[in-house]
Amino acid sequence: MLPLDKTHYGPMRPLRGCSALVIRCFRRVEAFADAVTGAAGPVFVALCWVLIGSGGLVFFDVVARSLPPWLTLPLLPVYALVPLNMYGHYYLVTTVSPGFPSPRTARDTAAPLGPSSERWGAPGPAWARPERWGFAARRRLTDWGEPRRVRRCRKCEGPKPERSHHCSVCKRCVLLMDHHCPWINGCVGLHNQRHFVLFMLWLSAGCFAVATLGYPHFWASIDTRESWPAYSPRLAFTLIYVLCLAIGIAVFTLCTWHLVMVSNGETSIESHDNVYLENKAKAEGMIYLNPYDLGRRRNLELFFNVGPGGYSYRTLLVPLAVPAYTAGWSYARRALPVEPALKPTTSLHTPELADGLVYDHAHSHAHGHGHVHEDDMQHDHGRGYGRAEAGAGAGASRYVMGDEEGLTDDEEGGGGWWE
């Protein structure tokens, strides 16, 4: 073996040292930002309560009591449902645990979910449970589908089921983590994401009501020549109205984005992974499918746990602690489309092409008339997604699905398997 020429690597040492120093600095900055986010969480929650509380008081003082009776009567459901759901869902999203794979505090162990004592989460206060108000569950809360192998988190050394991620602020793994939100002082996850989305939806409705019904009062509040019969100061209503315009647009946009992701069967984190895998599969001439996408309507039904097998749709109109459809260790998954071998024909139907159900014969013959080579299977295993076989005579499928065993948010790889 030839000896290493240290003079060749000498000029690179300062560059490698600077690179390592920059990485350490970024990690320290990230850790500081996480600490500040965690410490500022209670402040954000208190500020949010002040804003939505004062907004409601000012609305009923200035706008609601000045409307004529013929307009007040049809608006009574709005006066009741909007504040009830806005305040109720914000209370639930800040008090209901997002769900964790393993217990750590008394709050986590308050109510085990599922048949196993290793599945933990907080379904919400007893007064908010739907069964207490006459809404019976059509499905028993349990795991969904066959159990899958569970990873071990390298950061917290705990179990890390599929679709779970480690939160650097909470310092633990969260079931179906979407993101960490300082406005709720915690993570948005499996058990509280429903309340998070519904809170944004009802908050947007409240801001829209203030912006439309309070428009004449806004101009009166900035015109000191007009009388002001309300108890609330002019400046207070002016500020609330401007905040409702800004917050209403921002929150409605965020809510719409979350509903689109929910309808696609993905979280904020998974949306980035799916885009990456879709582009990667496309570059290799394949079609990527999200394994948790069961169709827009079914995705929304499972997320809100309503419809067939879930609770009544009426639970969407009241702030109830409706549990998730799964215990968080396995989820409903779609099946790969079956691509039957096409018979020799000279015509192709447009619906078949539009649905992507036509099998690529060129790809099949290139691999030996539909048989998948062992080398191809080994190569596909390391891509971060799994390939399925369509059956005898149909050849290897063009469709691939995401494989959670190939993706991890742990730095430098995962922490092995949880036995």
Side-chain angles (χ1 to χ4, degrees), residues 148-159:
R148 304 178 67 85
R149 199 175 185 186
V150 178
R151 280 190 174 274
R152 179 189 298 272
C153 179
R154 189 187 68 85
K155 299 177 181 179
C156 63
E157 297 295 331

Side-chain angles (χ1 to χ4, degrees), residues 289-351:
L289 300 176
N290 177 10
Y292 307 107
D293 185 5
L294 306 180
R296 293 189 181 276
R297 179 173 179 176
R298 190 54 181 159
N299 292 336
L300 290 170
E301 288 177 341
L302 289 177
F303 175 80
F304 292 108
N305 200 5
V306 295
Y311 289 85
S312 170
Y313 285 97
R314 290 176 296 171
T315 57
L316 297 174
L317 299 177
V318 283
L320 298 177
V322 175
Y325 81 95
T326 174
W329 285 63
S330 59
Y331 298 85
R333 300 172 69 95
R334 68 182 297 175
L336 275 171
V338 177
E339 300 178 321
L342 295 179
K343 297 180 180 179
T345 179
T346 58
S347 63
L348 292 175
H349 299 288
T350 303

Side-chain angles (χ1 to χ4, degrees), residues 60-146:
F60 282 102
D61 176 40
V62 177
V63 180
R65 72 189 188 99
S66 65
L67 296 177
W70 63 269
L71 186 57
T72 300
L73 289 178
L75 287 176
L76 287 179
V78 177
Y79 292 166
L81 291 177
V82 172
L84 175 66
N85 284 276
M86 183 173 61
Y87 299 135
H89 281 295
Y90 187 68
Y91 171 79
L92 291 174
V93 77
T94 55
T95 55
V96 173
S97 167
F100 308 105
S102 58
R104 180 178 296 178
T105 65
R107 179 187 177 190
D108 304 336
T109 59
L113 299 179
S116 173
S117 60
E118 295 180 353
R119 296 156 191 171
W120 304 92
W127 61 264
R129 294 174 186 173
E131 289 78 9
R132 187 180 181 90
W133 300 92
F135 296 100
R138 303 188 183 100
R139 182 198 306 116
R140 181 178 179 270
L141 179 62
T142 181
D143 283 334
W144 190 279
E146 298 181 358

Side-chain angles (χ1 to χ4, degrees), residues 165-308:
H165 294 274
H166 185 91
C167 176
S168 57
V169 180
C170 298
K171 307 299 183 184
R172 60 190 308 185
C173 286
V174 178
L175 296 173
L176 194 65
M177 178 181 172
D178 188 88
H179 68 285
H180 185 95
C181 179
W183 290 101
I184 68 172
N185 190 29
C187 279
V188 176
L190 175 66
H191 298 305
N192 64 354
Q193 189 178 8
R194 183 183 191 272
H195 304 300
F196 180 77
V197 172
L198 288 176
F199 166 68
M200 291 192 297
L201 190 62
W202 288 104
L203 178 61
S204 301
C207 292
F208 176 77
V210 173
T212 53
L213 299 176
Y215 181 75
H217 302 276
F218 169 71
W219 292 109
S221 67
I222 61 178
D223 189 357
T224 57
R225 295 173 299 178
E226 294 189 16
S227 60
W228 186 255
Y231 295 102
S232 303
R234 294 173 179 265
L235 180 60
F237 182 80
T238 304
L239 293 177
I240 290 296
Y241 188 86
V242 174
L243 284 175
C244 283
L245 288 177
I247 295 176
I249 296 174
V251 172
F252 179 75
T253 303
L254 182 62
C255 181
T256 303
W257 178 50
H258 273 271
L259 286 175
V260 170
M261 289 190 297
V262 169
S263 67
N264 291 332
E266 60 187 10
T267 63
S268 299
I269 298 175
E270 292 172 346
S271 65
H272 298 287
D273 294 338
N274 289 334
V275 170
Y276 167 77
L277 291 177
E278 182 178 358
N279 293 333
K280 187 175 181 181
K282 185 177 180 180
E284 298 180 9
M286 308 190 74
I287 301 174
Y288 172 75
L289 300 176
N290 177 10
Y292 307 107
D293 185 5
L294 306 180
R296 293 189 181 276
R297 179 173 179 176
R298 190 54 181 159
N299 292 336
L300 290 170
E301 288 177 341
L302 289 177
F303 175 80
F304 292 108
N305 200 5
V306 295

